Amino acid sequence: MKVFKRDGRIVDFNEQKIVNAILSAFESVDGEITQYAVDKAYNIANYVSGYFKTDETNPVLSIEEIQDIVEKGLMATKRKD
């Protein structure tokens, strides 16, 4: 699985980067990282990883596409902030 970066590079997909970004967002809002935040971060990262596997026609996703998937995942939670 590959990611097309904004600078034009194509790199390997790293699920942990999504987890870290989501946890950072939760910590910024809440002032701490709760178990809820950890669960949601891993659920969304796993969903993105699965999205790669189901989209065999396009094995390379752009950062923007990944960002859109993550935003939709966050908006599907009870936390909209």
Side-chain angles (χ1 to χ4, degrees), residues 51-70:
Y51 188 89
F52 269 109
K53 293 174 185 165
T54 60
D55 190 11
E56 295 297 328
T57 60
N58 188 15
V60 178
L61 288 180
S62 71
I63 290 293
E64 289 80 11
E65 289 172 308
I66 294 171
Q67 184 176 349
D68 289 346
I69 296 167
V70 170

Side-chain angles (χ1 to χ4, degrees), residues 5 9 11-22 45:
K5 307 261 305 180
R9 291 180 297 135
V11 299
D12 290 331
F13 174 71
N14 183 346
E15 187 175 298
Q16 192 60 44
K17 288 186 176 187
I18 293 172
V19 170
N20 293 344
I22 294 170

Side-chain angles (χ1 to χ4, degrees), residues 15-30 32-48 66-67 69-75 77 79 81:
E15 187 175 298
Q16 192 60 44
K17 288 186 176 187
I18 293 172
V19 170
N20 293 344
I22 294 170
L23 291 177
S24 178
F26 271 99
E27 185 174 32
S28 175
V29 172
D30 297 341
E32 66 179 339
I33 296 175
T34 64
Q35 188 60 48
Y36 177 83
V38 171
D39 293 343
K40 291 304 162 189
Y42 279 98
N43 287 344
I44 293 169
N46 287 334
Y47 177 79
V48 173
I66 294 171
Q67 184 176 349
I69 296 167
V70 170
E71 286 176 8
K72 287 177 185 174
L74 288 170
M75 292 308 289
T77 70
R79 298 286 306 272
D81 53 341

